[in-house]
Amino acid sequence: QVQLVESGGGLVQAGGSLRLSCAASGRIFSIAFMRWYRQAPDKQREFVAQIITDGSTSYAESVKGRFTISRDIALNMMYLQMNSLKPEDTAVYYCAASTGRPSLDWGRGTQVTVSS
């Protein structure tokens, strides 16, 4: 199991940028992949981006070309660089990690609000 803490959320203007961070602790060597999810009010939690141990990445179609997921292995950190933000990106963003157990480990989330 790992513990995850998100940070970097806030209020930004449409077209602006924001960088989210996820700090991992605990049994970090067991992590197979890490993901960002988001959840807007009255909507289901949706996948945003993924990074695997080999460094390969994948993105939801809605954020492809605007968001970039990355990691710093030495610092046990994962990042989500968000550019060209839109009001529809407004949501609570969650960091998640797979450690080989059936369920993911989750952070508590960080709020991102994009104004028109």
Side-chain angles (χ1 to χ4, degrees), residues 11-101:
L11 174 64
V12 297
Q13 185 176 320
S17 298
L18 203 62
R19 188 197 195 202
L20 305 183
S21 299
C22 175
S25 61
R27 302 173 65 176
I28 56 176
F29 287 99
S30 64
I31 295 177
F33 62 81
M34 299 185 71
R35 293 172 174 170
W36 287 98
Y37 288 82
R38 67 186 182 186
Q39 187 169 23
D42 300 320
K43 296 182 66 176
Q44 297 293 311
R45 188 170 298 185
E46 65 174 338
F47 167 81
V48 175
Q50 173 179 277
I51 187 164
I52 302 177
T53 51
D54 66 357
S56 62
T57 60
S58 60
Y59 300 89
E61 193 65 30
S62 59
V63 306
K64 189 174 297 183
R66 299 188 298 121
F67 291 9
T68 303
I69 188 171
S70 62
R71 64 184 180 181
D72 188 324
I73 297 176
L75 297 178
N76 299 324
M77 297 288 289
M78 181 179 67
Y79 308 99
L80 185 68
Q81 178 66 47
M82 305 184 294
N83 299 325
S84 302
L85 283 163
K86 306 173 181 179
E88 48 263 48
D89 294 319
T90 296
V92 177
Y93 283 71
Y94 297 90
C95 179
S98 172
T99 60
R101 298 190 300 166

